[in-house]
Amino acid sequence: MRTDDLIGALADRLEPTSPRAPLREMTLWLLGGVTASVAAMLLWRGLRPDMMAAMATGMFWTKFAYTLAIGAAALWAAERLGRPGAKADRPARIVQSLIVGVVVLGAARYLTAAGDQRHLLLMGHSASLCPWNIFALSIPILIGAVMGLRRLAPTRPTVAGLAAGLAAGGLGAFVYSFSCNESAMPFVAAWYTLPVLASGALGALIGRYSLRW
Amino acid sequence: MLAALAGDARAYSSLLAELTKHLRAYYARRLNGAAEDAEDLVQDTLIAMHRRRDSYDPNQPLTAWVYAIARYRLIDHYRRNKVRNAVPLEDAAELFAADEIEPAMARRDVTRLLDRLPPARAALVRATKVEGLSNAEAGERAGLSEGAVKVNVHRALKSLSAGLRKDAGAEDDA
């Protein structure tokens, strides 16, 4: 086929699209994933029993802000990476500084604590459960985020998948934070961050194969 | 592009025709010589752009979007063809080394040539031809009119090329 003919054929088949259409569809996919994750959390774990009291504590809002900010910044990065030629440097830096910041705070709290307190600060009472729960709650969101990203055109599928995975991890941790009654910084720094990174790795793996076009 | 997204077929086809020229040049340079592959890739890229046209963000430069897609199609092409024009690893160092040496040598040659000129003229040539200033800007720097810069640069280049020709002749004689 000659290139001129191809151009003619493409122009004939042109239908108007809105530049905002992909974002709308991405949002729908993501809302689907988050809804599934929230439903799973409510049915399977339930809200933390001390919800009302917890909302008066700083730690509740720290977890709230940390997880939501990672989710939002990584989503922003994923959206940028879905657009050929766009840069994702700024959101990527935000995600990095959030993680580094919380890990440093957690480490500082751990190191300044008395020796017999440390174990409790780090391990709480659910260290063997929390990362798995967060990871599980992230999976429906990861599916939604990847499906949404397929609507755009990521030219670096692995990196875009990583961003989608980190976003899903952040939002999964956000959902879980309404059910989890741990309130020590070292615990959050370790057992919230770890599944976010794991979800990012899973996203990178999935993106590598399923975000090609 | 914005008109095209809104459904203006005529704007769209003239945009695609324009981009086709850039894409041909882009692929011709990178596939050195495989003209059929290059044309296939141009068409491939046009189709990819068409399918994913709403991934273009109106706040971004269009060229960045186009070349990112072109690059992605090129990588895909290499992957499908298992990179046939690969260079053996032992020779790769040479390939990269040349990249660094050539510009350095060119820079050295230019500097040496400019040393043959009277310093004021050399400064003008450096300003206009190496730094890329306009005649007017170079003139402002040296306190000359635009026309004077033009004449001086022209004469300087002429005497340089005469000098080079003589060098070449001397080498032939030797």
Side-chain angles (χ1 to χ4, degrees), chain A residues 24-189:
Chain A
R24 267 200 303 270
E25 278 177 49
M26 278 181 79
T27 312
L28 285 179
W29 273 111
L30 206 65
L31 280 179
V34 172
T35 310
S37 175
V38 169
M41 181 274 282
L42 289 176
L43 293 174
W44 162 50
R45 302 242 341 149
L47 286 180
R48 54 191 290 179
D50 59 344
M51 191 67 195
M52 283 303 151
M55 282 174 70
T57 66
M59 203 52 213
F60 175 82
W61 295 107
T62 305
K63 287 194 291 186
F64 183 96
Y66 174 50
T67 54
L68 190 60
I70 284 193
L75 269 185
W76 179 18
E79 189 267 346
R80 290 286 88 192
L81 289 164
R83 297 188 185 274
K87 285 204 171 70
D89 303 9
R90 264 173 67 201
R93 265 201 302 275
I94 296 178
V95 173
Q96 277 169 18
S97 12
L98 281 167
I99 292 178
V100 170
V102 165
V103 168
V104 166
L105 283 178
R109 180 78 188 80
Y110 180 81
L111 292 174
T112 53
D116 55 342
Q117 294 287 311
R118 287 183 174 180
H119 185 78
L120 186 66
L121 281 174
L122 181 61
M123 303 306 283
H125 54 81
S126 61
S128 58
L129 275 178
C130 166
W132 295 108
N133 292 343
I134 291 180
F135 190 65
L137 291 176
S138 299
I139 286 177
I141 306 177
L142 179 57
I143 295 170
V146 169
M147 292 305 291
L149 207 50
R150 283 172 61 90
R151 185 62 182 70
L152 285 171
T155 52
R156 291 154 75 200
T158 310
V159 185
L162 171 68
L166 291 173
L171 294 176
F174 178 70
V175 171
Y176 183 69
S177 75
F178 290 91
S179 163
C180 154
N181 56 5
E182 298 282 356
S183 60
M185 200 64 193
F187 182 93
V188 171

Side-chain angles (χ1 to χ4, degrees), chain A residues 1 4 67 115 212:
Chain A
M1 190 184 203
D4 292 345
T67 54
R212 278 196 201 153

Side-chain angles (χ1 to χ4, degrees), chain B residues 128-147:
Chain B
T128 53
K129 303 296 173 193
V130 181
E131 296 173 37
L133 297 182
S134 72
N135 287 338
E137 286 166 329
E140 207 175 291
R141 192 194 276 179
L144 294 170
S145 74
E146 188 180 345

Side-chain angles (χ1 to χ4, degrees), chain B residues 11-62:
Chain B
Y12 189 49
S13 67
S14 71
L15 172 73
L16 290 185
E18 185 60 33
L19 291 177
T20 299
K21 285 185 222 153
H22 291 283
L23 290 173
R24 276 201 188 115
Y26 176 88
Y27 287 125
R29 222 177 309 132
R30 279 162 184 78
L31 293 174
N32 40 32
E36 255 172 55
D37 280 1
E39 199 59 24
D40 281 352
L41 272 169
V42 169
Q43 298 196 356
D44 197 24
T45 306
L46 289 174
I47 295 171
M49 279 174 10
H50 179 76
R51 287 221 186 104
R52 304 279 171 154
R53 63 187 182 281
D54 57 10
S55 73
Y56 170 63
D57 174 354
N59 300 319
Q60 292 263 305
L62 181 62

